Amino acid sequence: MTISVASLGEIIWVIGIVAWYVIRYPFERRARRVRIVAGGRSSSDTVGLASALLGLAILPGFHVATGIPAAADHPASLWSVALGTIIFCSALWIFRMSHKELGRNWSITLEIRERHELVSAGPYALVRHPMYTSFLLMGLGQLFLLPNWIAGISGLIGFAVLFLLRVDKEERMMLETLGSQYRAYMERTKRIFPYLY
Ligand SMILES: C[S@@+](CC[C@H](N)C(=O)[O-])C[C@H]1O[C@@H](n2cnc3c(N)ncnc32)[C@H](O)[C@@H]1O
């Protein structure tokens, strides 16, 4: 049995998405047991999360399952699949490290947990939002893995909507909660790219 390069990219993308959920699931379960003391899901955050879900999972998943929209297909290449695999694996690694480091402070939305603490170790020593760095890399990996302009680019668009709707609000919330401790942390870190932005 031989598989095409296009199918190979799609299979790797599916494995990547399953691995993403395997990493996330235990943190979702644990988060249910830690009390929320401030914040909550706003309508703009719901739009951001829905965009990320649509662009990074639903649209590409629909394309992989049905081949639609075939008109947006472009030729697949082995170098693109290899690059996409490396980028997607890096995204999963950063995603896993950020969850591990955030631990009980993690929330899917903008919330403050009981006894919330500033996390500034591991990937958080370099950037304030490594989980968003991992979403950006996932979107980039998707672009290289799926040879379809719409399903390929949708992850980056979904990430951008979530990031732009959320990041200022998240930093404001952290400043209100942790005050000078978070301000000092902001002064020594970048947002998503170490030393750059
Ligand atoms: C989905 S997590 C994303 C965390 C971070 N923005 C990132 O990209 O890695 C969002 C929650 O993490 C918490 N959080 C964000 N940065 C944090 C930090 N440095 N220390 C502790 N909690 C943090 C906030 O309570 C926020 O509601």
Side-chain angles (χ1 to χ4, degrees):
M1 188 187 81
T2 53
I3 55 169
S4 65
V5 176
S7 303
L8 181 67
E10 291 178 353
I11 291 167
I12 293 170
W13 179 81
V14 170
I15 294 171
I17 288 295
V18 172
W20 184 94
Y21 193 67
V22 169
I23 295 170
R24 165 59 58 89
Y25 183 68
F27 291 89
E28 266 181 27
R29 278 191 58 150
R30 191 213 265 196
R32 286 185 216 135
R33 298 195 298 267
V34 188
R35 214 160 66 87
I36 297 158
V37 293
R41 191 171 300 177
S42 64
S43 46
S44 85
D45 211 49
T46 304
V47 171
L49 281 168
S51 306
L53 183 69
L54 190 69
L56 286 161
I58 297 175
L59 258 170
F62 176 75
H63 169 71
V64 168
T66 64
I68 297 170
D73 282 351
H74 59 79
S77 76
L78 207 50
W79 76 261
S80 170
V81 171
L83 189 61
T85 305
I86 294 168
I87 297 173
F88 211 106
C89 288
S90 319
L92 290 175
W93 182 59
I94 298 170
F95 187 63
R96 163 86 187 122
M97 282 200 305
S98 356
H99 274 80
K100 206 169 143 242
E101 216 56 63
L102 264 190
R104 64 182 299 291
N105 301 292
W106 177 81
S107 286
I108 196 167
T109 187
L110 299 187
E111 289 165 344
I112 298 297
R113 302 267 164 187
E114 196 171 45
R115 288 182 280 111
H116 203 110
E117 286 174 348
L118 175 69
V119 173
S120 57
Y124 289 89
L126 288 174
V127 287
R128 297 194 288 283
H129 306 286
M131 218 172 275
Y132 303 154
T133 309
S134 77
F135 290 165
L136 171 62
L137 290 176
M138 265 178 78
L140 204 58
Q142 178 180 324
L143 182 66
F144 284 108
L145 285 171
L146 303 182
N148 179 280
W149 292 119
I150 293 174
I153 200 79
S154 68
L156 286 174
I157 296 173
F159 155 77
V161 174
L162 174 70
F163 182 76
L164 294 173
L165 286 176
R166 182 182 271 190
V167 74
D168 286 334
K169 285 186 182 166
E170 180 165 341
E171 292 186 345
R172 223 175 299 129
M173 176 187 81
M174 296 305 287
L175 273 172
E176 279 163 17
T177 310
L178 299 168
S180 58
Q181 200 187 2
Y182 195 76
R183 187 166 300 285
Y185 173 61
M186 284 178 88
E187 277 162 17
R188 61 176 192 270
T189 50
K190 296 290 180 186
R191 272 183 162 165
I192 52 173
F193 297 119
Y195 312 109
L196 291 174
Y197 170 76

